C-alpha cells in the first residue's frame, strides 16, 4: 500500500496501479476514451490528462503508474482547460450526426462535451467527408467520420481474441481504422466491438436504427445459451413506453464479471435473444380433437387427478418425466422432491441440447445452461432407449423440446400414440407441439428468478427482468401448484421443509 | 332602503354600458354600410364560418413534414420529437435509407392529433427542420378518432 494525494485528499492504494485505476478505486472518475480496464493502455485520446505536482507538463492518467507521495490534481483549471482543448480537437473532424447515430445517449464524446466542453465551434472549414458505411464484419458497420481513433477495437482484436483483423492505416488526419482488403472480421466476439467503441463509429447491424437508447431499460441476467453462464445486460423497452411494440428485448450486452466472462460475451449469446419474444406459447392448450385454450386451474385439476389415481393404483412406474438441462437449481430441487421423493417409482430421464463447437474462450461445448446444477440433484444425461422408456407409460411430462434432438420424430410420435396423457411444459413452440395433449407455457430465463451453476461450478443467482409473456408461468410454480392437486401436498411440503 | 338604491344604480350603469355599445356599433356599422372605411370600430363579431379570423404569423396549427428537393421527407427519424412530446402522440419507426449521405429515414411516422396539445415542442426539437406547425389549418374536427391519426404520407401531402 502506498500513499497518494488526489485533489488534496490522502488515500492509501495498492502499488502498481496507474493513476486512472487508483482514482477510480477511490471514487474519482477521470474522463477517458481509449482506456479500457481489460486492454493494454495506449494513451491515444489524451482525454485523461492530470496534473502531478513537480512535473511541468500534464500527464496521462491511464499510463502513468502511481508513486509514493504523488500529489495529483484531476479537477483544477489547467486540467479542465486541457480537456476542453482535447475535446475541441476530437470534435473538429467529428460529423456531429448524433440525431442518426445509434450511440447517442450512451456516447462518451457526447457526455464529456456536456460535462467539460460546451465551447462554440471555431472551425470554419468544411468537415472532411469519408466513408460512413464501411462494412468491417458481417454484423458491424464502421463509420470513418465518427471515429476518434482510440484504437480500442484494434487492441481488442489483438489482445483478447488474438486475431488482429483491424489495424490503423495512413497517418495524421488521414488515418483510419480498416480491415485487410476484403477480409471481414469473422470471429465469434466481434459484437463486443460495438460495445467498446466509445463513440458511434462501430455500430451493430442487429441494433442499427431499431430504437434510440434512451427508451431502453437495462437489467442484469445470465446468458442461457451455453454452460459458461456469462453475465449479461438485457436491454428492453421500458414498460412505460407509451406505444405498443411487439418486440420487448432489443439487444444484449455483457455485464463485467472478471471471474466468468470478463467484459465480453460471444456473438452467439448476443444475437440469440429473439426467442424471448418470438414463437412463444402464450396460453395453456389442451388437445381435444383440436387445440383449445384452457385455464391453468383446469390443467392442474386434470393432471393432478391423473397422478392421484396412478398413485392410488400403485402404478407410479407408469409416470414418465423427461427433464431438460436448462432449468434453474431451484426447479431441479422441486422436481426431485416432487417425483423422486413424493412419488417414488416414477421414471425420470434427462436430455439436454446437443453440444456444439467450443471456441476456446467463453463459448463452451455444452449448450445447456445448467448441466452442473441438474447433476447435483441427480438429473444426469444417460444413453437410454427412449422407445423402451415410453413403452407402457400412461402419463408423460416433457420439459422442453430437447428430446427430439436425440431421436427420430416419427418413431417418437408412434411411441407416443399409445400413451394416454402427454404433457409438454415449454416456453417456445417446437417439434413436440403436434405430439402432445397438453401444452403449457413456461417462462424463459429472462422472466424467472433462480440460480444456475455454470461449467466452472460457480452458482449465480439471477432475477426477473421481464414480466412473463401471456399466461406463462415459471416451472417451479407449475410444479408446486400441481403438487397441491395431486394428493401429495403434505408430503411435498414436509420434504421441502426438511430439505 | 340604501341597499336597494345601490342596486338600482348598478342596474342603470349596466343598462348604460349596453346601450352605449349598441348605439356606437349601430353608428359605425352604418358608416361602414354607406362606404366609409373604418377598420377597428364597430361590431367585433366575426361571422364564422363565412368569415374567418386572420391567423397570427406564429400561430401553431396542424403539423406538416417538409420535403427535400427530390420530394423525400426531410425527417431522419432521430426520434427527438417523439422523446420530447409531452402528450406522447408521435410514434416513429426508422429504417435504412439507400442513400449513404442520409442513412436513416422514417418507415412509420404517426401523429395522433386526438392526443396532441399543440405545444410545438416537436418543432423546436427537430434538428432537420422537417416538422413545422405553420399550415394555418385549424379546423381539425372529424367524425371518428381514426381519421385524427396522421401518417407520414398525409403529413407530407399537407405541405404541397
Amino acid at each position: 500500500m502506498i500513499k497518494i494525494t488526489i485533489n488534496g485528499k490522502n488515500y492509501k492504494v495498492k502499488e502498481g496501479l496507474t493513476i486512472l485505476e487508483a482514482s477510480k478505486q477511490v471514487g474519482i472518475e477521470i474522463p477517458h476514451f481509449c482506456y479500457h480496464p481489460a486492454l493494454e493502455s495506449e494513451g491515444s485520446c489524451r482525454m485523461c490528462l492530470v496534473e502531478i505536482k513537480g512535473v511541468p507538463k500534464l500527464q496521462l492518467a491511464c499510463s502513468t503508474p502511481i508513486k509514493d507521495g504523488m500529489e495529483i490534481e484531476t479537477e483544477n483549471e489547467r486540467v479542465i482547460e486541457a480537456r476542453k482543448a482535447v475535446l475541441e480537437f476530437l470534435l473538429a473532424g467529428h460529423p456531429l450526426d448524433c440525431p442518426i447515430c445509434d450511440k447517442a445517449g450512451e456516447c462518451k464524446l457526447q457526455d464529456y462535451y456536456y460535462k467539460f466542453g460546451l465551447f462554440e465551434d471555431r472551425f470554419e472549414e468544411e468537415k472532411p467527408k469519408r466513408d460512413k458505411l464501411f462494412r468491417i464484419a458481417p454484423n458491424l458497420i464502421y463509420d470513418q467520420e465518427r471515429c476518434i481513433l482510440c484504437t480500442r477495437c484494434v487492441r481488442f482484436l489483438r489482445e483478447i481474441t488474438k486475431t488482429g483483423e483491424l489495424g490503423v492505416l495512413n497517418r495524421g488526419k488521414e488515418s483510419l481504422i480498416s480491415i485487410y482488403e476484403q477480409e471481414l472480421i469473422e470471429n465469434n466476439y466481434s459484437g463486443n466491438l460495438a460495445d467498446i467503441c466509445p463513440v458511434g463509429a462501430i455500430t451493430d447491424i442487429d441494433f442499427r436504427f431499431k430504437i434510440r437508447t434512451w427508451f431502453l431499460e437495462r437489467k442484469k441476467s445470465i446468458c442461457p445459451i451455453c454452460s459458461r453462464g456469462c453475465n449479461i445486460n438485457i436491454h428492453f423497452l421500458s414498460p412505460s413506453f407509451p406505444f405498443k411494440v411487439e418486440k420487448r428485448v432489443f439487444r444484449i450486452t455483457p455485464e463485467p464479471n472478471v471471474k466468468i466472462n470478463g467484459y465480453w460475451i460471444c456473438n452467439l449469446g448476443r444475437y440469440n435473444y429473439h426467442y424471448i419474444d418470438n414463437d412463444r406459447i402464450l396460453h395453456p392448450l389442451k388437445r381435444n380433437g383440436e387445440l383449445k385454450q384452457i385455464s391453468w386451474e383446469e390443467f392442474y385439476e386434470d393432471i393432478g387427478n391423473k397422478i392421484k389415481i396412478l398413485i392410488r393404483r400403485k402404478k407410479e412406474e407408469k409416470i414418465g418425466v423427461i427433464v431438460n438441462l436448462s432449468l434453474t437449481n431451484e426447479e431441479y430441487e422441486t422436481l426431485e422432491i416432487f417425483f423422486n421423493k413424493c412419488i417414488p417409482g416414477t421414471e425420470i430421464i434427462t436430455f439436454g441440447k446437443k453440444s456444439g463447437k467450443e471456441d476456446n474462450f467463453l463459448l463452451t461445448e455444452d449448450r445447456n445452461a445448467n448441466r452442473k446444477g441438474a447433476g447435483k440433484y441427480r438429473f444426469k444425461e444417460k444413453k437410454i432407449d427412449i422407445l423402451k422408456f415410453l413403452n407402457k407409460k400412461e402419463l408423460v411430462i416433457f420439459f422442453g423440446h430437447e428430446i427430439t434432438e436425440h431421436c427420430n420424430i416419427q418413431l417418437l410420435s408412434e411411441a407416443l400414440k399409445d400413451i394416454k396423457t402427454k404433457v409438454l411444459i415449454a416456453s417456445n413452440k417446437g417439434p413436440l407441439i403436434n405430439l402432445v395433449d397438453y401444452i403449457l407455457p413456461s417462462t424463459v430465463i429472462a422472466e424467472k428468478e433462480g440460480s444456475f451453476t455454470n461449467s466452472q461450478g460457480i452458482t449465480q443467482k439471477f432475477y426477473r427482468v421481464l414480466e412473463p409473456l401471456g399466461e406463462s408461468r415459471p416451472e417451479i410454480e407449475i410444479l408446486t401448484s400441481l403438487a397441491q392437486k395431486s394428493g401429495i401436498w403434505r408430503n411435498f411440503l414436509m420434504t421441502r421443509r426438511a430439505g | 332602503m340604501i341597499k336597494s338604491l345601490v342596486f338600482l344604480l348598478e342596474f342603470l350603469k349596466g343598462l348604460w354600458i349596453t346601450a352605449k355599445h349598441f348605439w356606437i356599433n349601430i353608428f359605425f356599422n352604418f358608416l361602414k354600410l354607406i362606404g366609409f372605411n373604418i377598420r377597428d370600430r364597430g361590431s367585433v363579431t366575426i361571422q364564422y364560418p363565412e368569415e374567418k379570423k386572420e391567423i397570427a404569423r406564429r400561430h401553431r396549427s396542424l403539423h406538416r413534414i417538409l420535403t427535400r428537393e427530390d420530394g423525400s421527407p426531410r425527417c431522419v427519424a432521430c426520434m427527438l420529437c417523439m422523446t420530447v412530446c409531452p402528450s406522447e402522440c408521435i410514434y416513429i419507426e426508422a429504417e435504412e435509407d439507400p442513400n449513404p449521405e442520409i442513412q436513416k429515414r422514417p418507415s412509420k411516422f404517426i401523429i395522433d392529433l386526438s392526443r396532441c396539445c399543440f405545444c410545438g415542442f416537436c418543432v423546436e426539437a427537430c434538428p432537420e427542420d422537417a416538422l413545422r406547425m405553420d399550415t394555418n389549418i385549424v379546423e381539425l374536427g372529424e367524425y371518428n378518432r381514426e381519421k385524427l391519426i396522421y401518417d407520414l404520407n398525409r403529413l407530407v401531402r399537407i405541405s404541397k
Side-chain angles (χ1 to χ4, degrees):
Chain A
M1 297 295 254
I2 53 175
K3 273 185 202 166
I4 54 166
T5 315
I6 304 177
N7 298 340
K9 272 188 184 172
N10 294 322
Y11 298 101
K12 273 188 178 176
V13 288
K14 256 197 257 163
E15 223 173 326
L17 298 174
T18 61
I19 295 175
L20 199 144
E21 286 160 348
S23 52
K24 200 176 179 183
Q25 271 188 12
V26 299
I28 296 165
E29 255 331 296
I30 296 175
H32 56 269
F33 293 112
C34 69
Y35 167 82
H36 190 280
L39 305 173
E40 202 75 28
S41 59
E42 161 115 350
S44 60
C45 72
R46 304 272 141 182
M47 192 62 197
C48 62
L49 289 171
V50 290
E51 191 173 345
I52 302 166
K53 210 183 171 188
V55 183
K57 280 188 173 179
L58 298 180
Q59 294 297 313
L60 291 176
C62 70
S63 47
T64 314
I66 45 167
K67 277 185 211 152
D68 201 21
M70 210 179 223
E71 283 179 43
I72 303 152
E73 289 284 343
T74 68
E75 296 286 323
N76 70 10
E77 227 169 77
R78 216 177 136 204
V79 173
I80 285 175
E81 197 56 40
R83 273 177 202 164
K84 222 175 184 175
V86 169
L87 274 174
E88 201 169 353
F89 268 126
L90 290 176
L91 287 170
H94 197 77
L96 295 181
D97 53 358
C98 306
I100 56 163
C101 176
D102 275 323
K103 202 78 178 184
E106 50 179 22
C107 172
K108 282 197 158 181
L109 195 56
Q110 229 178 18
D111 293 349
Y112 291 152
Y113 175 75
Y114 276 93
K115 224 171 163 186
F116 308 109
L118 295 177
F119 45 78
E120 286 284 319
D121 193 5
R122 285 190 285 175
F123 284 85
E124 287 166 3
E125 293 82 8
E126 282 264 308
K127 299 219 170 184
K129 282 250 183 285
R130 287 169 156 193
D131 192 356
K132 285 180 81 68
L133 281 170
F134 188 68
R135 220 13 120 82
I136 53 168
N139 55 334
L140 299 173
I141 286 178
Y142 172 63
D143 185 327
Q144 293 175 349
E145 284 181 15
R146 288 183 197 150
C147 182
I148 58 164
L149 291 167
C150 69
T151 68
R152 269 185 179 188
C153 45
V154 178
R155 282 174 288 147
F156 171 80
L157 290 171
R158 280 193 194 146
E159 292 166 26
I160 307 296
T161 62
K162 302 203 169 64
T163 44
E165 290 99 335
L166 284 178
V168 186
L169 304 188
N170 304 341
R171 286 204 275 170
K173 73 177 181 55
E174 299 294 323
S175 44
L176 51 92
I177 281 164
S178 186
I179 47 175
Y180 177 72
E181 291 188 344
Q182 298 298 317
E183 286 194 16
L184 298 178
I185 304 170
E186 290 278 4
N187 73 56
N188 193 23
Y189 292 86
S190 57
N192 291 304
L193 293 176
D195 289 341
I196 58 170
C197 184
V199 294
I202 298 179
T203 45
D204 205 317
I205 290 174
D206 184 63
F207 183 64
R208 200 172 155 85
F209 301 159
K210 291 287 181 305
I211 196 140
R212 304 313 301 265
T213 52
W214 53 82
F215 292 120
L216 297 176
E217 231 176 273
R218 64 164 78 176
K219 273 186 185 169
K220 285 181 208 169
S221 187
I222 289 175
C223 176
I225 303 297
C226 82
S227 63
R228 175 73 63 183
C230 292
N231 292 205
I232 53 169
N233 272 313
I234 297 181
H235 295 242
F236 60 98
L237 209 54
S238 90
S240 61
F241 190 70
F243 305 99
K244 265 196 182 163
V245 181
E246 292 289 302
K247 211 172 159 185
R248 292 181 299 169
V249 177
F250 277 82
R251 65 171 167 182
I252 284 176
T253 56
E255 166 73 18
N257 185 337
V258 182
K259 272 185 190 164
I260 294 162
N261 56 318
Y263 296 82
W264 326 111
I265 53 170
C266 68
N267 285 357
L268 207 65
R270 182 184 297 268
Y271 300 124
N272 270 339
Y273 59 84
H274 299 282
Y275 72 94
I276 297 176
D277 293 324
N278 300 345
D279 281 337
R280 288 287 298 273
I281 304 167
L282 295 175
H283 306 283
L285 302 168
K286 184 183 175 180
R287 194 185 301 278
N288 232 347
E290 56 185 282
L291 284 176
K292 259 185 197 166
Q293 199 175 318
I294 56 167
S295 72
W296 276 105
E297 296 315 310
E298 275 174 71
F299 160 74
Y300 294 140
E301 209 64 60
D302 278 13
I303 301 300
N305 276 336
K306 284 204 171 112
I307 294 175
K308 218 188 265 179
I309 292 166
L310 283 170
I311 294 173
R312 207 174 292 153
R313 279 162 46 202
K314 294 249 159 44
K315 278 187 177 167
E316 288 96 342
E317 76 282 352
K318 298 247 173 200
I319 305 175
V321 184
I322 293 136
V323 183
N324 65 0
L325 290 170
S326 312
L327 302 177
T328 66
N329 289 339
E330 291 72 13
E331 278 155 359
Y332 285 122
E333 192 186 355
T334 318
L335 264 172
E336 201 208 2
I337 295 170
F338 194 112
F339 291 109
N340 277 350
K341 294 194 173 150
C342 297
I343 323 175
T346 44
E347 289 182 21
I348 303 179
I349 52 171
T350 313
F351 281 106
K353 286 183 199 121
K354 278 216 165 134
S355 33
K357 258 190 188 166
E358 65 170 337
D359 65 356
N360 296 323
F361 184 33
L362 293 178
L363 188 66
T364 58
E365 226 173 36
D366 186 4
R367 293 292 147 83
N368 299 293
N370 201 14
R371 188 184 288 269
K372 272 255 164 99
K376 262 189 206 166
Y377 296 99
R378 292 188 290 284
F379 294 108
K380 279 181 185 156
E381 205 174 12
K382 283 175 205 150
K383 278 210 164 169
I384 290 171
D385 189 359
I386 298 162
L387 303 179
K388 207 172 166 192
F389 169 82
L390 292 173
N391 196 16
K392 287 182 184 166
K393 288 274 179 297
E394 276 185 28
L395 171 65
V396 185
I397 303 174
F398 294 99
F399 286 88
H401 301 278
E402 276 83 348
I403 188 171
T404 53
E405 291 179 20
H406 294 268
C407 69
N408 190 332
I409 282 209
Q410 282 194 333
L411 287 178
L412 187 70
S413 66
E414 265 166 42
L416 286 173
K417 257 180 198 164
D418 306 329
I419 298 168
K420 266 188 200 159
T421 324
K422 293 150 283 188
V423 182
L424 169 70
I425 301 175
S427 57
N428 292 63
K429 288 171 188 160
L432 270 181
I433 274 205
N434 300 323
L435 308 179
V436 295
D437 313 315
Y438 290 88
I439 300 166
L440 303 157
S442 69
T443 52
V444 292
I445 301 303
E447 293 166 349
K448 60 181 165 190
E449 196 182 320
S451 62
F452 276 161
T453 308
N454 76 350
S455 58
Q456 294 157 289
I458 302 172
T459 303
Q460 304 184 87
K461 188 135 181 59
F462 56 88
Y463 297 94
R464 182 182 277 189
V465 175
L466 303 159
E467 286 302 309
L469 203 64
E471 276 186 271
S472 57
R473 291 182 180 183
E475 279 92 344
I476 193 162
E477 200 184 315
I478 300 173
L479 286 170
T480 318
S481 305
L482 195 58
Q484 256 171 333
K485 297 282 183 209
S486 42
I488 53 165
W489 182 233
R490 180 177 281 185
N491 203 347
F492 183 82
L493 278 183
M494 300 273 271
T495 336
R496 198 162 67 169
R497 211 166 290 158
Chain B
M1 186 62 192
I2 293 166
K3 246 186 190 171
S4 55
L5 266 178
V6 171
F7 279 132
L8 190 69
L9 197 69
E10 292 298 320
F11 172 68
L12 290 174
K13 249 191 197 171
L15 271 183
W16 162 242
I17 288 169
T18 315
K20 189 179 82 178
H21 283 295
F22 176 74
W23 286 112
I24 286 175
N25 283 343
I26 287 279
F27 176 67
F28 280 109
N29 279 329
F30 178 70
L31 284 185
K32 272 185 193 171
L33 203 71
I34 57 173
F36 286 93
N37 188 15
I38 301 154
R39 280 184 70 201
D40 295 336
R41 302 298 295 268
S43 163
V44 290
T45 307
I46 293 168
Q47 301 299 324
Y48 187 84
E50 287 82 24
E51 257 182 81
K52 273 170 191 166
K53 199 180 168 186
E54 201 182 309
I55 289 173
R57 216 153 52 83
R58 292 173 58 186
H59 179 88
R60 294 191 295 267
S61 47
L62 179 65
H63 316 66
R64 67 179 172 122
I65 286 181
L66 281 77
T67 51
R68 299 195 185 90
E69 277 164 12
D70 64 345
S72 62
R74 274 198 212 171
C75 175
V76 292
C78 69
M79 303 191 197
L80 290 183
C81 47
M82 177 177 166
T83 310
V84 79
C85 182
S87 44
E88 299 170 342
C89 67
I90 305 180
Y91 178 65
I92 301 169
E93 270 175 27
E95 67 180 8
E96 190 94 34
D97 193 288
N99 183 352
E101 286 290 301
I102 299 164
Q103 289 202 22
K104 204 175 171 184
R105 69 176 179 199
S107 63
K108 222 182 205 182
F109 189 110
I110 289 170
I111 298 182
D112 184 352
L113 283 185
S114 63
R115 299 188 64 147
C116 180
C117 64
F118 294 89
C119 63
F121 284 4
C122 46
V123 179
E124 264 179 67
C126 186
E128 291 287 313
D129 190 21
L131 195 63
R132 283 194 200 163
M133 293 173 83
D134 60 355
T135 51
N136 286 358
I137 300 171
V138 288
E139 291 146 333
L140 300 166
E142 293 283 359
Y143 285 103
N144 68 47
R145 283 169 197 273
E146 275 75 58
K147 284 187 183 162
L148 282 171
I149 295 171
Y150 282 62
D151 64 1
L152 187 61
N153 283 334
R154 205 165 162 198
L155 287 163
V156 169
R157 242 183 289 134
I158 293 166
S159 64
K160 277 175 190 166

